[in-house]
């Protein structure tokens, strides 16, 4: 099942894409299955019921609405740095033997189609195409062998990074949390539609149509199951938590000369079997 959260004229809507068509309902319409975050918390049976209700809704022209991040208010957005060897090398890091975890706040998240914002503070705005795993059933001390049972769906992320701020201190938090830099979407795909762990999917980032990152999600150093086992050793994962699994090589900062995003550009992250996350770049405004 493929769900899309969207903003209609005055209210939010939820759509299901099936057989090349999107059908859905807005929040005030009869039969609206409810907030998608709450449906994810209830689990797969609730998503199946919602899919039926939405399929009986009206046709939604997804080109005419604004898509919203698939999860509205994740309790945690846990990002993984240096999770592809060639990216660690191009960034001048030795490949770590424990995942480089950092967090994003909801305030940085935007949906597909919304501009990624180049802030007043810096022109070092970089792209990072990544696979997202979304937690269904939470837990602590989740065993590796059953870790994938805790993933309810997948999506795509562009971990937009303000590089000079990322490296102003040993902690990357600020450079990864400027408002309007975390693009998330364009849809939520249930885990059963993808290979286990989202492995073996082609990931490609394009800047103004030119391919700048190209890899397989199988190239991750710590795969989705391993990340869940390692993270939950320390932290209780909850339903709706978002794990942003890291980016392959080709980022703008490592290019000679460096390639940063600027207003007027369009960046796209495509992951096979999920879709294309597309965002223009715009300058911050007052
Ligand atoms: Mg990243």
């Amino acid at each position: 099942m493929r769900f899309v959260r969207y903003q209609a004229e005055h209210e939010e809507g939820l759509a299901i894409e099936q057989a090349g068509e999107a059908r859905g309902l807005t929040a005030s319409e009869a039969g609206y299955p409810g907030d998608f975050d709450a449906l994810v918390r209830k689990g797969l049976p609730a998503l199946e019921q919602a899919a039926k209700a939405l399929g009986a809704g009206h046709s939604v022209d997804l080109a005419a609405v604004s898509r919203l991040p698939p999860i509205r208010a994740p309790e945690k957005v846990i990002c993984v740095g240096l999770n592809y060897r060639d990216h660690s090398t191009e960034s001048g890091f030795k490949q770590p033997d424990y995942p480089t975890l950092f967090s994003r706040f909801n305030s940085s998240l935007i949906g597909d189609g919304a501009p990624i914002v180049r802030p007043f503070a810096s022109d070092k705005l970089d792209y990072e195409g990544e696979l997202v795993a979304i937690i269904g059933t939470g837990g602590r001390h989740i065993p590796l062998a059953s870790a994938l049972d805790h993933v309810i769906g997948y999506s795509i992320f562009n971990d937009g990074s303000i590089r000079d701020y990322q490296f102003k201190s040993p902690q990357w938090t600020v450079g990864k949390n400027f408002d309007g830099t975390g693009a998330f979407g364009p849809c939520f795909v249930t885990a059963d539609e993808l290979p286990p762990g989202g492995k073996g999917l082609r990931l490609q980032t394009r800047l103004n149509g030119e391919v700048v990152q190209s890899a397989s999600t199988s190239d991750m150093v710590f795969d989705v199951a391993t990340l869940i086992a390692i993270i939950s050793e320390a932290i209780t994962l909850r339903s709706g938590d978002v794990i942003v699994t890291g980016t392959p090589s080709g980022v703008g900062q490592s290019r000679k000369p460096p390639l940063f995003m600027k207003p007027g550009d369009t960046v796209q992250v495509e992951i096979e079997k999920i879709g294309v996350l597309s965002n223009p770049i715009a300058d911050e405004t007052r």
Side-chain angles (χ1 to χ4, degrees):
M1 295 174 280
R2 307 169 64 87
F3 292 91
V4 177
R5 284 183 64 236
Y6 66 93
Q7 182 68 46
E9 214 166 318
H10 300 296
E11 58 183 354
E12 283 185 22
L14 185 62
I16 180 116
E17 288 183 282
Q18 44 197 188
E21 167 182 54
R23 301 190 72 83
L25 293 162
T26 56
S28 66
E29 289 179 308
Y32 178 69
D35 181 65
F36 191 66
D37 286 24
L39 295 173
V40 167
R41 276 197 296 277
K42 287 180 192 158
L44 205 53
L47 294 186
E48 283 164 355
Q49 268 193 330
K52 279 199 196 111
L54 297 168
H58 50 74
S59 174
V60 179
D61 179 3
L62 290 175
V65 296
S66 304
R67 295 188 192 220
L68 298 168
I71 304 293
R72 181 176 49 80
E75 180 187 276
K76 296 185 282 295
V77 179
I78 300 175
C79 301
V80 187
L82 310 177
N83 201 21
Y84 288 76
R85 288 180 198 286
D86 49 2
H87 174 60
S88 303
T89 302
E90 74 173 357
S91 304
F93 287 93
K94 186 169 165 279
Q95 181 58 49
D97 56 13
Y98 182 87
T100 301
L101 304 177
F102 61 93
S103 51
R104 260 193 189 266
F105 308 118
N106 295 337
S107 47
S108 74
L109 302 184
I110 56 170
D112 175 70
I116 293 177
V117 177
R118 186 174 75 166
F120 295 136
S122 171
D123 60 5
K124 306 281 189 294
L125 172 62
D126 208 347
Y127 50 81
E128 292 191 353
E130 313 200 11
L131 175 73
V132 168
I134 296 156
I135 298 295
T137 307
R140 177 94 196 273
H141 301 298
I142 296 170
L144 179 64
S146 56
L148 293 180
D149 298 345
H150 294 259
V151 178
I152 193 165
Y154 292 92
S155 188
I156 305 174
F157 210 90
N158 191 334
D159 182 25
S161 305
I162 309 301
R163 293 295 185 202
D164 47 348
Y165 276 75
Q166 181 182 349
F167 297 115
K168 272 180 190 280
S169 71
Q171 304 295 331
W172 299 356
T173 310
V174 70
K176 296 287 193 175
N177 275 285
F178 274 64
D179 284 4
T181 58
F184 180 19
C187 58
F188 170 103
V189 179
T190 47
D192 60 323
E193 300 236 338
L194 299 181
K199 279 197 178 179
L201 302 177
R202 194 174 54 86
L203 183 160
Q204 192 178 75
T205 305
R206 297 183 289 271
L207 183 60
N208 302 322
E210 186 192 331
V211 176
V212 288
Q213 295 187 290
S214 183
S216 164
T217 54
S218 291
D219 298 341
M220 281 180 207
V221 175
F222 304 99
D223 62 16
V224 171
T226 303
L227 290 170
I228 288 170
I230 290 177
I231 292 166
S232 71
E233 182 183 35
I235 299 169
T236 299
L237 288 170
R238 293 195 206 283
S239 180
D241 282 351
V242 169
I243 301 177
V244 185
T245 58
T247 205
S249 65
V251 302
Q253 152 135 311
S254 298
R255 289 169 181 272
K256 292 185 178 55
L259 174 65
F260 292 113
M261 301 190 292
K262 57 186 189 310
D265 288 351
T266 298
V267 64
Q268 294 181 310
V269 182
E270 178 167 11
I271 298 182
E272 190 186 354
K273 295 188 163 83
I274 302 179
V276 182
L277 170 66
S278 183
N279 298 88
I281 312 303
D283 266 329
E284 183 180 355
T285 54
R286 285 188 202 283

